[in-house]
Amino acid sequence: MRKLIAYLFLILLLASCEEQSDWDLQKATNDFIVVDGIITNEFKTQTITLSRPVAQLNEDAEPVSGATILVSSNQVSYTFHEDPLQAGRYLSDKAFIGIRNRTYSLLVTSGNRVFSSKAILEPPAVTFAFIAYQKKPADNKFYFKRLQVSYNPGNPAIYEILLDWSAVPGYTNQNPDSCRAKVYYYTLPTIDVSEVLAPAMEEVTFPSGTIVTERRYSLSREHAAFIRAILLETTWLGGYFNTASANVPTNMSTGALGFFGACGVTEKVEVAK
């Protein structure tokens, strides 16, 4: 009886009704630029993306073209040029590698406005546990059994998982883009009810023979706070315990949004079998 009463009380507590409300929102001036860029410890052409904020859900972001981007560290500067194949995407003129614990300064000039930021490259992890997955008997496809522990106060990180089964027999004649998937998950220095009771996500499945690449990006606490705020406004929104919407923090100077980061990357690859 006590258990029954407890369950009824919990149901009444979680029960709610919804009522449609029309909000007279004042449209803000779209005078900001959004910066999205991470310098890594990989020897490669580094990239930074510039865009405008969107006003509607699922609206395509307007790219910011014609800007000048400069990244510098220890009296060494790297200039970026706009990708001729993708407006708003800027590529370093030459490949370079980010150095651990070094400070990188970003300078963006767009029209007559200048924006700046700084980031210290977080050291990469020496190693990490590869994500676990298992096979479904119903269709013999794999799915992720569990993700890494989402709470880690000392070592926050982004985990990027790349799946490619375009070379698996039975899929070679299909569009290669339909045989690839990308999944992100995070370990953050905070625990949120919105995360623990987040809405259900689509389950990603993949066949035996899939190449699984897992990349771990080390995060500063400031970068982790930015990621947390983004998740509260997107992936974790719509659960039982939503938080009040708020401005997402940024490390950019006034007039710019987004985040400029510097991350050490560790990578592992295996074939699902």
Side-chain angles (χ1 to χ4, degrees):
M1 180 61 69
R2 289 182 179 178
K3 289 184 178 179
L4 180 59
I5 294 174
Y7 290 146
L8 290 174
F9 178 77
L10 183 60
I11 292 173
L12 290 174
L13 181 64
L14 296 179
S16 63
C17 59
E18 296 182 0
E19 181 181 353
Q20 180 176 339
S21 297
D22 295 325
W23 289 63
D24 185 14
L25 299 178
Q26 181 179 1
K27 189 174 181 179
T29 57
N30 196 12
D31 201 26
F32 291 93
I33 70 166
V34 179
V35 177
D36 180 14
I38 294 177
I39 303 300
T40 72
N41 64 326
E42 305 161 286
F43 183 74
K44 67 174 188 178
T45 299
Q46 310 286 343
T47 63
I48 294 174
T49 302
L50 303 181
S51 61
R52 299 282 183 191
V54 297
Q56 302 292 332
L57 291 175
N58 300 322
E59 182 181 352
D60 291 333
E62 176 191 349
V64 175
S65 295
T68 301
I69 296 180
L70 186 70
V71 173
S72 58
S73 177
N74 280 26
Q75 298 181 343
V76 178
S77 298
Y78 306 96
T79 55
F80 286 64
H81 63 275
E82 190 170 6
D83 187 347
L85 301 179
Q86 183 176 340
R89 182 171 182 258
Y90 293 79
L91 311 174
S92 58
D93 288 348
K94 60 181 180 179
F96 68 94
I97 184 171
I99 307 300
R100 60 184 296 173
N101 297 321
R102 183 168 291 181
T103 300
Y104 288 85
S105 299
L106 171 69
L107 193 67
V108 177
T109 303
S110 179
N112 59 354
R113 306 178 67 188
V114 178
F115 312 98
S116 61
S117 181
K118 289 186 177 182
I120 299 176
L121 195 142
E122 295 294 315
V126 176
T127 186
F128 62 89
F130 201 83
I131 188 169
Y133 49 86
Q134 66 183 31
K135 184 176 287 187
K136 282 185 170 183
D139 58 6
N140 285 329
K141 287 189 176 182
F142 289 104
Y143 69 97
F144 295 126
K145 181 179 178 181
R146 64 172 179 84
L147 299 181
Q148 303 290 3
V149 178
S150 59
Y151 172 65
N152 191 325
N155 297 293
I158 300 174
Y159 290 86
E160 179 186 59
I161 305 168
L162 307 174
L163 304 171
D164 186 351
W165 59 93
S166 59
V168 174
Y171 296 90
T172 53
N173 292 329
Q174 296 185 15
N175 184 343
D177 291 336
S178 68
C179 301
R180 298 188 181 101
K182 183 184 294 185
V183 179
Y184 288 95
Y185 67 94
Y186 312 87
T187 56
L188 301 175
T190 55
I191 299 179
D192 292 275
V193 177
S194 298
E195 175 187 6
V196 176
L197 299 176
M201 299 293 290
E202 179 185 0
E203 185 177 67
V204 177
T205 60
F206 48 98
S208 178
T210 296
I211 300 174
V212 183
T213 304
E214 184 169 7
R215 295 164 54 81
R216 181 191 185 279
Y217 294 76
S218 299
L219 295 177
S220 65
R221 295 190 70 87
E222 188 180 19
H223 201 163
F226 169 78
I227 295 293
R228 172 184 176 270
I230 291 290
L231 292 172
L232 284 170
E233 299 292 333
T234 54
T235 305
W236 299 345
L237 191 65
Y240 288 111
F241 298 96
N242 289 333
T243 58
S245 295
N247 291 333
V248 176
T250 178
N251 65 346
M252 296 297 304
S253 61
T254 303
L257 306 172
F259 202 90
F260 170 65
C263 304
V265 180
T266 307
E267 181 179 296
K268 290 185 177 182
V269 181
E270 73 176 37
V271 178
K273 59 183 178 179

